[in-house]
Amino acid sequence: MIDVAVIDYGMGNLRSVSKAIEHVAPQLKVAVTGDPEVVMRAARVVFPGQGAMPDCMREMQARGLREAVIAAARSKPFLGICIGLQMLFDRSEEGDVAGLGLLPGKVLRFPAAAMVDARGEKLKVPHMGWNEVHQAMPHPLWEGIAPGSRFYFVHSYFPVPADPQLIAGYSLYPFSFSCAAARDNIFAVQFHPEKSHAAGLRLLANFVAWQPAAAEIGPASSAGRPRSPAL
Amino acid sequence: MGLAKRVIPCLDVTAGRVVKGINFVGLRDAGDPVEIARRYDDQGADELTFLDITASSDGRDLILHIIEDVASQVFIPLTVGGGVRAVEDVRRLLNAGADKVSINTSAVHNPQLIADAAARYGAQCIVVAVDAKRVAGDTLRWEVFTHGGRKATGLDALEWGRKMQALGAGEILLTSMDRDGTRNGFDLELTRAFSEALDIPVIASGGVGNLDHLVDGILKGRADAVLAASIFHYGEHTVRQAKEHMARHGIEVRI
C-alpha cells in the first residue's frame, strides 16, 4: 500500500514535492500518481498544483481524478499546496472558474491598486520569495515551527475563506491574507513547504506523522467505513 | 514584516564544474556544483541559479544530473538557464528538479516560446534573462544582447522586458553586460528602470564586488532580488554575512 500519494494531473513539477517527503520520511512509500485507484487506497494524500487554476481544474477532471480528490479530502490526512489549496475553495477569480467546493470561500488576485508598501514603493505580482507565516491557530502541522517562520511563496492569487475559523495562517503583502487553511483532516497552504528549507521540511514531517482525531474525519468517509463487530 | 529581499548565488556550470569568467571570457574553476550548492544552502541562500554555459550540445545533459543531485539534497528554489530552446527543454529541466527555467537567446529568436512555456507550466517557473548593454552616447538606453553577450539584437531592453512580461514571464533576471565581472557594482540606473517599469520581480545581476553593492541594488536599484557569483565562490563573504550586512541597512532579509 502507498503511504503518501502525490496527485499528478500533468501540471508542473512534482519531483520537488515527492523528494522532500522522501527526505523527511525515507521509510514511507511515496508515489507520484495520476491513477484514481492509487489515490483512493493511499493512507494520505498531497494535492499540489502549479500554473493556472482553470488549466489545473480541467486537467484534473479530464484525468478522472476529481472524485478521488474529493473522497480523499473527506476521509484521510490531506495536504493542499499552492493551486492545490486554491482548488479546494468554491470559486477563483482566475478565469472565473469553479473549484471543488470543499472549503467555503473564493480565490482573488492581488489587486494592483493595493500593491504598495509602507514606503510607497510598488510591490510586485507574483508575490515571489520568502514571507513570514503567522499561525492563526494551534495545529499539529505547526508543531516545532516558530511563529513567524519564513516560507517560500510564488503566486498571484490568494484564498479568502468564507469562515474565519478555517484560517490556520496568514501573511502580509501588504495586507493580511490567508496563507493556510485547515478543517478536520484537511490542511492546505499557499506557500511551498517542499522549497522552504528547514521550516518546510518540518511541516512535511508533521504531515506524514499527523493522525487527525476520528471525530475530525468528515461524515462521508466514516459512513462508508465498516464498524468493528467486536465493539 | 513582509516579503524578504532575496540573495541568490549564481553558479556558472560547464562540463560539470562551476566556473567564473570576467566579462564572459577567461574562465576560472570554482568547484563542484553539488558541494557549492549545499554550502550556500547552509549559509541561508534564498534560491540558487545555475547557468549552463556549455557552448555545444554535447555536454548539455550533464546539467540534468547535477540538478537531480542538488534537488534531492537542497530544499530551496532552483533556477536553471542556458541552452533552453524549446518547451521540451523546459520540461526536462523541471523534471530533473528545477523550479524555474531561465531563457535568454531563444526568447529573442522565438518570443512565442515564452508564451508557450508559461501557458504549459505557469508563469511562476519562466524567468527571462535579459543581458543589457548601454547604448553608446545615450545615457538611459540599453540594448539586448544574446549568445552570452556576444551578439547585439537591436532590441531596446526596456521595451523587450515589457514584451516578455506581457507574454507570460514570471520574473526577469537582468544582467548588465557593462558591469558583469568588473566588480564595480550593478548598473543601478538599468536596474531601477526595469523595476519601475515592470510589475513582475526583477533580479539584479552583473558587477557585484562587495556587500555594499548588494545594498545599493535593493535600495537604489529597487531590485526584488540580488544575484552574485564571485564574492561567494572564493570565500570572500558568506551568504549570511551578505544578509546581515543588508539587514543593518534596513533591508528585510530571511536570516
Side-chain angles (χ1 to χ4, degrees), chain A residues 113-164:
Chain A
M115 303 315 289
V116 177
D117 72 8
R119 283 184 255 187
E121 289 184 17
K122 181 167 70 178
L123 291 172
K124 304 300 181 66
V125 177
H127 171 228
M128 186 184 288
W130 299 78
N131 205 335
E132 291 180 352
V133 170
H134 305 283
Q135 299 169 13
M137 60 162 74
H139 195 284
L141 266 69
W142 292 137
E143 206 177 300
I145 297 171
S149 292
R150 289 187 186 273
F151 287 82
Y152 186 81
F153 288 81
V154 51
H155 63 121
S156 300
Y157 294 78
F158 62 95
V160 183
D163 178 358

Side-chain angles (χ1 to χ4, degrees), chain B:
Chain B
M1 300 289 270
L3 186 67
K5 299 296 183 182
R6 289 168 281 155
V7 176
I8 307 175
C10 178
L11 291 71
D12 286 350
V13 177
T14 188
R17 299 287 289 178
V18 177
V19 293
K20 181 61 195 164
I22 294 175
N23 289 102
F24 281 69
V25 289
L27 300 174
R28 264 171 82 183
D29 187 79
D32 173 64
V34 178
E35 196 179 296
I36 293 176
R38 288 183 64 165
R39 190 197 313 152
Y40 293 153
D41 178 48
D42 289 343
Q43 293 174 2
D46 295 311
E47 299 183 18
L48 296 174
T49 291
F50 296 82
L51 292 181
D52 183 5
I53 59 169
T54 305
S56 71
S57 55
D58 303 349
R60 208 48 96 186
D61 281 356
L62 278 174
I63 194 81
L64 295 173
H65 301 304
I66 291 169
I67 297 306
E68 279 175 14
D69 282 352
V70 173
S72 57
Q73 301 177 45
V74 167
F75 298 98
I76 57 174
L78 308 176
T79 301
V80 184
V84 177
R85 294 187 185 86
V87 172
E88 171 62 16
D89 297 325
V90 175
R91 188 187 69 80
R92 291 171 75 214
L93 287 167
L94 294 178
N95 282 346
D99 300 285
K100 309 183 205 179
V101 169
S102 171
I103 304 174
N104 179 353
T105 301
S106 299
V108 173
H109 290 162
N110 174 23
Q112 186 61 28
L113 172 62
I114 301 304
D116 293 346
R120 185 72 190 85
Y121 296 106
Q124 84 289 334
C125 69
I126 305 302
V127 181
V128 172
V130 177
D131 289 347
K133 189 171 182 160
R134 278 187 189 248
V135 175
D138 195 336
T139 50
L140 286 176
R141 276 196 65 229
W142 295 265
E143 182 181 353
V144 175
F145 277 66
T146 59
H147 296 85
R150 293 189 299 275
K151 280 194 188 171
T153 63
L155 294 166
D156 177 80
L158 214 48
E159 263 175 49
W160 176 245
R162 286 195 190 95
K163 180 176 178 180
M164 291 296 97
Q165 172 175 292
L167 283 179
E171 192 169 41
I172 298 287
L173 168 53
L174 178 63
T175 302
S176 162
M177 299 305 307
D178 304 293
R179 296 301 180 90
D180 196 67
T182 65
R183 305 175 67 86
N184 291 331
F186 297 120
D187 181 339
L188 296 173
E189 288 175 323
L190 169 69
T191 308
R192 184 162 180 151
F194 261 74
S195 197
E196 290 182 345
L198 301 183
D199 296 320
I200 55 178
V202 172
I203 305 168
S205 158
V208 175
N210 62 50
L211 300 184
D212 285 332
H213 291 153
L214 301 178
V215 171
D216 289 344
I218 301 291
L219 295 183
K220 296 180 183 163
R222 302 205 173 169
D224 301 283
V226 285
L227 180 139
S230 56
I231 61 161
F232 300 133
H233 292 338
Y234 301 118
E236 289 164 53
H237 302 285
T238 64
V239 176
R240 195 170 314 280
Q241 284 167 347
K243 289 180 154 189
E244 285 166 357
H245 188 76
M246 292 163 75
R248 280 196 292 275
H249 285 79
I251 297 170
E252 188 167 352
V253 290
R254 161 184 164 261
I255 290 186

Side-chain angles (χ1 to χ4, degrees), chain A residues 32-213:
Chain A
V32 174
T33 180
D35 181 347
E37 284 298 312
V38 176
V39 175
M40 295 290 238
R41 289 198 305 267
R44 49 191 79 227
V45 165
V46 178
F47 186 41
Q50 278 186 359
M53 178 159 152
D55 297 337
C56 289
M57 287 297 298
R58 191 185 57 237
E59 284 300 314
M60 188 188 55
Q61 299 194 35
R63 290 159 193 250
L65 282 161
R66 185 188 176 102
E67 296 315 312
V69 170
I70 291 173
R74 286 179 173 156
S75 64
K76 56 185 107 183
F78 185 95
L79 177 64
I81 299 174
C82 197
I83 308 292
L85 165 147
Q86 296 181 3
M87 288 196 286
L88 301 179
F89 286 90
D90 294 320
R91 195 152 200 95
S92 176
E93 207 174 52
E94 188 175 21
D96 191 25
V97 68
L100 293 168
L102 288 160
L103 298 176
K106 59 196 170 182
V107 175
L108 300 179
R109 192 171 210 278
F110 283 110
M115 303 315 289
V116 177
D117 72 8
R119 283 184 255 187
E121 289 184 17
K122 181 167 70 178
L123 291 172
K124 304 300 181 66
V125 177
H127 171 228
M128 186 184 288
W130 299 78
N131 205 335
E132 291 180 352
V133 170
H134 305 283
Q135 299 169 13
M137 60 162 74
H139 195 284
L141 266 69
W142 292 137
E143 206 177 300
I145 297 171
S149 292
R150 289 187 186 273
F151 287 82
Y152 186 81
F153 288 81
V154 51
H155 63 121
S156 300
Y157 294 78
F158 62 95
V160 183
D163 178 358
Q165 292 194 356
L166 293 173
I167 301 172
Y170 62 94
S171 294
L172 301 177
Y173 195 67
F175 52 84
S176 173
F177 72 92
S178 303
C179 65
R183 193 187 65 198
D184 307 331
N185 55 301
I186 297 175
F187 197 86
V189 292
Q190 180 60 64
F191 51 81
H192 289 269
E194 75 279 12
K195 285 287 147 186
S196 296
H197 205 252
L201 294 177
R202 179 60 196 254
L203 190 143
L204 293 174
N206 288 343
F207 173 68
V208 298
W210 183 29
Q211 300 293 346

